[in-house]
Amino acid sequence: MKPTLSPLRAALAGAGLLLAAATLPAAATTIDRVVSPGGIEAWLVEDHTVPAITVSFAFEGGAAQDPEGKAGLASLLGEMLTEGAGPYDAAGFKAALADRSIQLSFSTSQDYSGGRLKTLTTERDAAFELLRLALAEPRLEQDDLDRIKAGRLAELNFQENDPGTIADDRWSAAAFPGHPYGRPTIGTKDSVVAITRDDLADLRQRLFARDGLRLGVVGDIDAATLGPVLDRIFGGLPAKGDRRPVPEITVAAKGAETVPMAVSQASIQLGVPAPRRDDPDYFPSIVMNHILGGSTFTSRLYRAVREQRGLAYSVDSDTIQLKRTGLLLITAGTRADKAGESLSVIRDEIARLAAEGPTEQEVAEAKSYLIGSYPLGFASHDALAGYVLSLQLAGRGRDFIDRYPGLIGAVTPEQVKAVAARILQVKDPTAVVVGTPGT
């Protein structure tokens, strides 16, 4: 498993499930609800054109469940699940996967612990058993844990000199003070050293339970076959987990912080609260974000910061949904001697959009792009399985694929103007600049 770096990058990595390159037949986007004899639910998209199956799964509870002083525990657990299980030691487990061309990986975000299994149909029984073993019978051997922790510590040493990671971590800590979302998903050097094998075993027992499980399955398998398989893989897990409550939180407004660092390229992060998925302003905020910084080459931030002034190597914005908060995050990589000017231009563009709103043409073009590019989000088995899973985690219905274009299409310029005024007029938004800003 490749661990995520922070609550923000974890959420953005999840959004990366919406990227793909191939095209599935239209009928493949029909999502069926399957309930196993034991009561385990999965959402299934049958597609028998390719003899392969992808299973994306998530358990409620992720890095936000890490105990105080043990940040990084959930992500370390994810790494350890493929380091031996049942009769296989670490090398044997990896060989069992490789010999059958089975792909099994685990990932951790702030709110969920999960992963993905991909297998040829001919190897599905072996693949399902290996997944069962990883979840229910991981060895968690001390030698393997020591090795994984050493790798994590090396990664953390490297990140001490990475402006992007520092900006991410410092911004999260300032925006979510005293909250689990403010801690690095992969932990700190002190917290990683403190994690024990017993910590891993305890967290696995608390999180990997059937009541917090969500599943998206795509490929060469039908509902009648899938039902008993679900019981075989997941039926031996505890019926209920023991997850600690994570409080709601709103992004704090702490103003700007500069972290001096002798680097050629500075990193900038600035974020504000944004509507949650159940907010009437949610879909207008998606359109607004695309206009502000969500578009690669046509956004206001790209034109003002990079194209017109040549200040930044990269600049963009994204709306991020964590389970207990929503936010809009702007990131930029700029010459260190131009960091101050870049931040000033970013603030000016935010203020201009908040005060004036978008043009009708900007709204029309943003809506056209968002609707036209939407099918790419489920254009391969892997992407579709992740997308089907994400619909469940977001509380969307199985018909959301069909409804999304209409929801975006119904957004008006007036709604975008209103949401821009609502969320972009934050006094002293939390911002972090890592590098030596210019004047």
Side-chain angles (χ1 to χ4, degrees):
M1 182 198 80
K2 182 177 176 57
T4 49
L5 300 179
S6 77
L8 308 179
R9 294 185 182 183
L12 289 171
L17 294 169
L18 304 184
L19 302 176
T23 301
L24 289 171
T29 57
T30 299
I31 304 173
D32 295 318
R33 178 175 178 266
V34 177
V35 180
S36 74
I40 298 172
E41 178 181 341
W43 287 9
L44 168 66
V45 178
E46 283 190 55
D47 178 25
H48 302 285
T49 59
V50 177
I53 303 165
T54 299
V55 180
S56 287
F57 55 93
F59 295 90
E60 186 176 344
Q65 296 292 318
D66 290 345
E68 191 68 31
K70 299 289 179 77
L73 175 60
S75 65
L76 272 179
L77 174 61
E79 285 200 76
M80 288 292 294
L81 294 179
T82 55
E83 297 294 328
Y88 301 101
D89 62 11
F93 193 87
K94 289 179 170 60
L97 294 171
D99 289 348
R100 297 170 176 84
S101 299
I102 298 167
Q103 298 176 22
L104 175 60
S105 60
F106 291 87
S107 58
T108 305
S109 71
Q110 280 291 342
D111 298 314
Y112 299 99
S113 299
R116 186 180 72 189
L117 173 72
K118 184 175 182 179
T119 180
L120 296 171
T121 308
T122 54
E123 301 294 343
R124 71 184 187 192
D125 290 342
F128 295 154
E129 174 61 9
L130 289 169
L131 174 56
R132 185 194 72 79
L133 289 172
L135 293 172
E137 302 180 31
R139 288 194 170 190
L140 307 178
E141 298 285 1
Q142 187 64 51
D143 288 349
D144 297 321
L145 176 58
D146 291 343
R147 173 170 46 82
I148 297 299
K149 286 172 63 173
R152 179 66 59 86
L153 291 171
E155 182 179 3
L156 289 166
N157 278 328
F158 172 80
Q159 291 179 0
E160 287 181 345
N161 298 304
D162 177 47
T165 302
I166 295 170
D168 203 32
D169 290 345
R170 294 288 282 265
W171 188 90
S172 298
F176 304 117
H179 193 277
Y181 288 167
R183 302 188 303 231
T185 305
I186 68 170
T188 66
K189 287 193 285 189
D190 287 343
S191 69
V192 169
V193 169
I195 291 170
T196 68
R197 182 181 184 278
D198 288 343
D199 293 328
L200 297 174
D202 176 69
L203 188 67
R204 185 190 71 82
Q205 190 71 19
R206 292 199 301 110
L207 298 189
F208 293 170
R210 300 195 303 275
D211 67 327
L213 174 63
R214 302 292 182 271
L215 290 152
V217 182
V218 176
D220 187 24
I221 190 168
D222 58 30
T225 304
L226 178 60
V229 164
L230 298 176
D231 286 339
R232 189 160 76 244
I233 299 174
F234 303 102
L237 298 176
K240 291 189 176 182
D242 181 21
R243 296 172 290 272
R244 297 166 184 164
V246 177
E248 298 280 340
I249 190 168
T250 299
V251 176
K254 293 288 189 69
E257 173 191 4
T258 297
V259 182
M261 191 174 185
V263 292
S264 59
Q265 179 175 324
S267 288
I268 299 171
Q269 287 200 179
L270 183 152
V272 296
R276 305 284 291 277
R277 290 189 183 97
D278 58 355
D279 191 306
D281 279 339
Y282 175 72
F283 290 102
S285 77
I286 298 299
V287 177
M288 187 274 292
N289 171 73
H290 186 82
I291 294 167
L292 177 64
S295 169
T296 305
F297 299 114
T298 62
S299 72
R300 289 192 175 196
L301 289 177
Y302 182 88
R303 290 198 304 267
V305 178
R306 177 168 176 170
E307 190 174 83
Q308 295 174 4
R309 296 174 177 82
L311 294 174
Y313 304 100
S314 62
V315 59
D316 55 44
S317 66
D318 205 345
T319 54
I320 299 172
Q321 292 291 312
L322 297 170
K323 192 168 184 180
R324 300 302 183 191
T325 196
L327 62 143
L328 183 146
L329 184 72
I330 296 169
T331 59
T334 180
R335 279 172 42 189
D337 62 335
K338 298 293 184 180
E341 184 180 357
S342 297
L343 181 59
S344 178
V345 173
I346 289 170
R347 285 171 166 162
D348 288 345
E349 286 302 310
I350 292 172
R352 186 164 72 91
L353 184 56
E356 302 173 2
T359 66
E360 290 191 4
Q361 181 177 349
E362 284 178 315
V363 173
E365 290 176 352
K367 287 161 57 175
S368 177
Y369 178 87
L370 291 167
I371 293 170
S373 63
Y374 182 63
L376 295 178
F378 41 90
S380 72
H381 276 189
D382 293 355
L384 181 56
Y387 185 73
V388 169
L389 174 63
S390 74
L391 292 181
Q392 297 173 73
L393 301 182
R396 303 298 189 190
R398 287 181 288 127
D399 63 345
F400 186 79
I401 286 177
D402 297 325
R403 293 192 296 112
Y404 175 86
L407 293 167
I408 292 294
V411 173
T412 66
E414 292 75 20
Q415 288 175 318
V416 178
K417 181 177 181 179
V419 76
R422 170 187 167 185
I423 72 174
L424 297 181
Q425 290 183 339
V426 175
K427 184 179 180 181
D428 296 325
T430 298
V432 173
V433 178
V434 179
T436 304
T439 57

